[in-house]
Amino acid sequence: MEIGAGDLRTQYDLIVVGTGPAGLTLARKYEELTGDKVLVIESGRRSKDNNEAQKLSEVSATGDLPSAYSLLHNRRIFGGTSTVWGGLCAVLEKRSFLNNEWPFSYDELYAYYPEAAEILSVQEEVHTRPEIAFPGNANIIYKPLYFSPPIRFNESSESWVDSNTNTDVLFNHSVMRVNIKSSIAVSVFARESSQEGETTTLVEVFGSRIVLATGGIQNARLLKLSLSGDSKVVGSYFCEHQHALNIASIILDREMFEQVMDKEIRNFYHVISGHAISLSSELSNRRSLKSVLFTFEDERVQRNNLLDQNRSTILAKVHVIAEMSALSSNRITLSNTRRDFLGQPIAHINFQFLPQEIHAVAERLNAELVRSGLGRMSILPKELLPIGGGHIMGTTRMGDNPDTSVTDAQGRVHGVENLYVAGSSLFPAAAAANPTLTIVALALRLADQLARTK
Ligand SMILES: Cc1cc2nc3c(=O)[nH]c(=O)nc-3n(C[C@H](O)[C@H](O)[C@H](O)COP(=O)(O)OP(=O)(O)OC[C@H]3O[C@@H](n4cnc5c(N)ncnc54)[C@H](O)[C@@H]3O)c2cc1C
């Protein structure tokens, strides 16, 4: 239930920071599995009115991302950024699991997709039919795109906040740092998210286990503010999805394309919201190429209607959503010069896109299309690719090696017994699929893990 700072218990079994898809999925599932006492702390207000907290996500920036990037792509409010997300859902491609970039198996992640799809109200085909190989050339895959309605987590958890008795939810309070003593996270310090700033009361709440679910930038910032010593790897390996609109044209042989569609998706194409074509994970991995989805709509037809046309070719403009390499130079640090209104250093982003990685895949895909007689694709020169992003990944990445990762394979921060991270900041490799379905799947996995080990 919703509580005020005066109603806080002194000790909780689990403290979850943030009410986006990661935080609310985790808190709800953990409470369902254990019945333990859980506290959820949210920086923003329950309603959208007078939400001063948003300014606490301001950043400074150098490189390819503007300083407006963070405010545009993060919402400090009940439900987090799900209050504005578009709902496009896909399971991660296998590419980065084939060469162990992730520290656990694809099957282990995959096991949580059905429940994640249910939570996001996305068609089950999102996991039962994530992709289809083209007969005659298994190096090319067709990837149907699926949409969540989209689910807004503030709306889907509204009645849960009021009706459940084991979870307290404290709104309009921002966690300033986690108090870590002798490798144990003891408590969190939080302040009211008010322009009154450092004059507001500092609240300390104790938790047996603490999970940060504050989004890709704030997870790194909070960890940097909490960990002692050199935490250089925290915030490094920041990955984005390279988005580019109308950067290529594709011509496909309609008869060949439809043979596949007719055979493979006739029975469920009414639930498909868009089409993408890509290289298979196996080929991408073999050739050290990244995952890139080339999405398109047939110019003269409505979406979902590709099968009903009479033309001999499909001619379409192509948009791209692309994975990029994780570079330690793409990183979030703390600003030396600017603080937010609660007195904390803001985050600084240094970031550069890698358009050449899109090009390498486009060239290979074109060669495969031509080789199989399916069609061809031409792409703008890489200098002309208009690239934007919006998915913040990798800044507290999972891994086995503390020198190159921040958490272990469960999401537990290396060197701290009971501090965890949830969200796409855990992704050691971004894949090209939109992240939220996987964020929810990973949060379910962590809830399971926490319940099993309490
Ligand atoms: C315009 C737009 C469209 C998008 N479309 C898609 C899409 O189609 N498909 C897709 O998969 N993804 C999409 N996304 C991305 C998606 O919204 C995010 O992946 C998802 O919301 C991340 O969930 P999260 O819980 O990790 O973080 P968030 O949703 O950002 O939630 C973080 C929460 O933590 C709180 N918080 C932050 N700092 C603190 C603190 N110090 N103390 C307490 N609380 C704090 C915030 O207030 C917020 O409630 C889109 C994003 C945008 C901006």
Side-chain angles (χ1 to χ4, degrees), residues 194-332:
S194 146
Q195 298 277 1
E196 306 297 310
E198 290 167 83
T199 61
T200 59
T201 316
L202 188 65
V203 181
E204 182 175 17
V205 203
F206 294 83
S208 304
R209 290 185 288 186
I210 296 167
V211 183
L212 303 181
T214 61
I217 298 173
Q218 301 306 320
N219 277 349
R221 180 187 181 206
L222 260 178
L223 270 184
K224 279 187 171 294
L225 290 166
S226 307
L227 294 169
S228 59
D230 180 15
S231 56
K232 210 170 160 194
V233 66
V234 176
S236 298
Y237 305 103
F238 175 11
C239 283
E240 253 293 359
H241 279 142
Q242 310 192 93
H243 288 71
L245 294 181
N246 291 336
I247 62 156
S249 307
I250 196 165
I251 296 177
L252 296 173
D253 182 297
R254 182 173 287 279
E255 203 182 317
M256 285 177 78
F257 187 73
E258 285 181 3
Q259 271 169 12
V260 179
M261 300 301 106
D262 205 21
K263 187 157 156 268
E264 299 287 345
I265 65 165
R266 163 96 34 213
N267 293 334
F268 70 101
Y269 80 83
H270 58 283
V271 300
I272 295 173
S273 303
H275 311 278
I277 197 160
S278 184
L279 291 176
S280 71
S281 288
E282 289 73 15
L283 179 68
S284 302
N285 186 44
R286 258 195 330 272
R287 300 272 170 179
S288 301
L289 295 168
K290 295 294 164 196
S291 296
V292 181
L293 298 183
F294 296 88
T295 71
F296 61 92
E297 291 166 22
D298 196 351
E299 265 182 349
R300 290 202 320 217
V301 295
Q302 299 274 318
R303 287 202 288 194
N304 291 339
N305 231 2
L306 283 181
L307 302 184
D308 299 332
Q309 296 306 303
N310 296 320
R311 289 181 300 155
S312 61
T313 56
I314 293 168
L315 172 62
K317 285 181 192 151
V318 175
H319 317 305
V320 159
I321 174 165
E323 182 179 28
M324 60 183 285
S325 291
L327 305 179
S328 64
S329 55
N330 280 341
R331 65 164 70 130
I332 287 161

Side-chain angles (χ1 to χ4, degrees), residues 17-23 41-44 72-77 79-82 84-88 173-175 213-215 218 222 390-391 423-424 434-437 439:
V17 188
T19 62
I41 306 181
E42 168 54 48
S43 175
L72 285 171
H73 295 295
N74 296 280
R75 283 290 175 278
R76 284 222 188 196
I77 189 94
T81 313
S82 79
V84 295
W85 79 308
L88 187 54
H173 279 74
S174 298
V175 170
T214 61
Q218 301 306 320
L222 260 178
H391 303 153
S424 51
N434 294 54
T436 306
L437 183 71
I439 290 173

Side-chain angles (χ1 to χ4, degrees), residues 163-179:
S163 62
N164 90 83
T165 48
N166 289 322
T167 301
D168 290 342
V169 185
L170 178 66
F171 289 103
N172 205 35
H173 279 74
S174 298
V175 170
M176 312 284 284
R177 72 180 175 87
V178 181
N179 182 19

Side-chain angles (χ1 to χ4, degrees), residues 37-105:
K37 290 290 172 205
V38 180
L39 172 67
V40 179
I41 306 181
E42 168 54 48
S43 175
R45 290 182 187 271
R46 187 164 181 176
S47 84
K48 288 186 179 163
D49 305 333
N50 191 21
N51 192 34
E52 295 171 77
Q54 183 64 13
K55 267 185 86 68
L56 295 168
S57 289
E58 261 180 353
V59 301
S60 56
T62 45
D64 289 346
L65 294 173
S67 54
Y69 168 82
S70 174
L71 292 183
L72 285 171
H73 295 295
N74 296 280
R75 283 290 175 278
R76 284 222 188 196
I77 189 94
F78 179 32
T81 313
S82 79
T83 53
V84 295
W85 79 308
L88 187 54
C89 286
V91 304
L92 290 193
E93 305 80 51
K94 283 191 185 142
R95 188 204 66 75
S96 51
F97 290 84
L98 294 175
N99 61 8
N100 301 321
E101 286 176 50
W102 283 70
F104 57 90
S105 73

